[in-house]
Amino acid sequence: MAAKDRDRFSTATRLRLLGEQTAARVYRSQNRRQARRSRLTGRAAFLALVVCSLVVALAYPMRQYVSQRDEIADQERLAQEAEARTEELRDEKARLQDDAYIRRLAREHLHYVLPGETGYTVVDPDAAKERSGGSEETDRPWHSNLWDGVDSADRD
């Protein structure tokens, strides 16, 4: 028994016992980690499922929100354009109250002249030929030209 006690207190024996104890602790901690990993994996899967459910549940409302924001922006743009058009029309209304502006419009668009003035109209010969349709239609009776016009309109 004295030899056993001596072995028990020797450095080599102590180192061997410490190594065995350390190996046992490492083994136990690895087993605990593996047990934790399996529990954590289940929790992580549940968490991922919850997150995916939230994403799916919020996807449609978010899409609606974005599309409605776009529609609001479009409506605001249209309102600004309508306001600008309204201002233009108010300006035009104010200009139409002026007699000098009305006279100028009548002279430009209706070719009116004041008493004592001589009005001239210049006709472009090329434009007159295109408008009349050429000389070949003038040689035929009017009813033939009418039916040709109806036929050509029908084909288009």
Side-chain angles (χ1 to χ4, degrees), residues 1-25:
M1 195 157 196
K4 235 182 186 181
D5 285 338
R6 200 177 339 139
D7 268 349
R8 187 171 152 203
F9 295 110
S10 71
T11 306
T13 305
R14 282 183 185 170
L15 288 175
R16 187 172 41 82
L17 283 175
L18 282 173
E20 288 172 1
Q21 288 172 355
T22 304
R25 284 186 199 137

Side-chain angles (χ1 to χ4, degrees), residues 44-76:
F46 181 72
L47 181 64
L49 179 66
V50 169
V51 168
C52 289
S53 299
L54 287 174
V55 167
V56 168
L58 294 176
Y60 182 72
M62 286 303 293
R63 192 182 89 206
Q64 288 290 10
Y65 173 76
V66 170
S67 68
Q68 288 176 357
R69 294 294 297 171
D70 291 341
E71 287 180 20
I72 289 170
D74 288 342
Q75 291 299 321
E76 287 174 350

Side-chain angles (χ1 to χ4, degrees), residues 30-43:
Q30 285 178 350
N31 285 342
R32 287 181 194 158
R33 284 186 193 143
Q34 289 174 353
R36 282 187 204 152
R37 283 186 190 142
S38 64
R39 272 198 328 245
L40 188 61
T41 304
R43 288 180 186 168

Side-chain angles (χ1 to χ4, degrees), residues 9-152:
F9 295 110
S10 71
T11 306
T13 305
R14 282 183 185 170
L15 288 175
R16 187 172 41 82
L17 283 175
L18 282 173
E20 288 172 1
Q21 288 172 355
T22 304
R25 284 186 199 137
V26 169
Y27 180 72
R28 281 191 302 240
S29 69
Q30 285 178 350
N31 285 342
R32 287 181 194 158
R33 284 186 193 143
Q34 289 174 353
R36 282 187 204 152
R37 283 186 190 142
S38 64
R39 272 198 328 245
L40 188 61
T41 304
R43 288 180 186 168
F46 181 72
L47 181 64
L49 179 66
V50 169
V51 168
C52 289
S53 299
L54 287 174
V55 167
V56 168
L58 294 176
Y60 182 72
M62 286 303 293
R63 192 182 89 206
Q64 288 290 10
Y65 173 76
V66 170
S67 68
Q68 288 176 357
R69 294 294 297 171
D70 291 341
E71 287 180 20
I72 289 170
D74 288 342
Q75 291 299 321
E76 287 174 350
R77 182 185 51 81
L78 289 174
Q80 289 175 351
E81 289 175 1
E83 185 67 30
R85 179 68 179 143
T86 302
E87 286 299 319
E88 290 174 6
L89 291 174
R90 284 185 185 142
D91 292 343
E92 182 70 19
K93 181 181 176 183
R95 282 194 302 266
L96 288 173
Q97 300 299 323
D98 185 19
D99 289 335
Y101 182 72
I102 298 293
R103 283 190 204 106
R104 184 172 64 89
L105 287 179
R107 290 172 68 99
E108 287 177 6
H109 297 290
L110 301 176
H111 305 287
Y112 281 8
V113 293
L114 292 175
E117 292 181 349
T118 305
Y120 296 97
T121 304
V122 179
V123 178
D124 184 16
D126 296 331
K129 285 181 186 176
E130 289 177 9
R131 199 172 8 196
S132 68
S135 62
E136 61 195 31
E137 294 178 1
T138 57
D139 296 339
R140 300 176 5 187
W142 66 270
H143 54 83
S144 298
N145 292 336
L146 175 69
W147 284 117
D148 286 343
V150 170
D151 288 339
S152 66

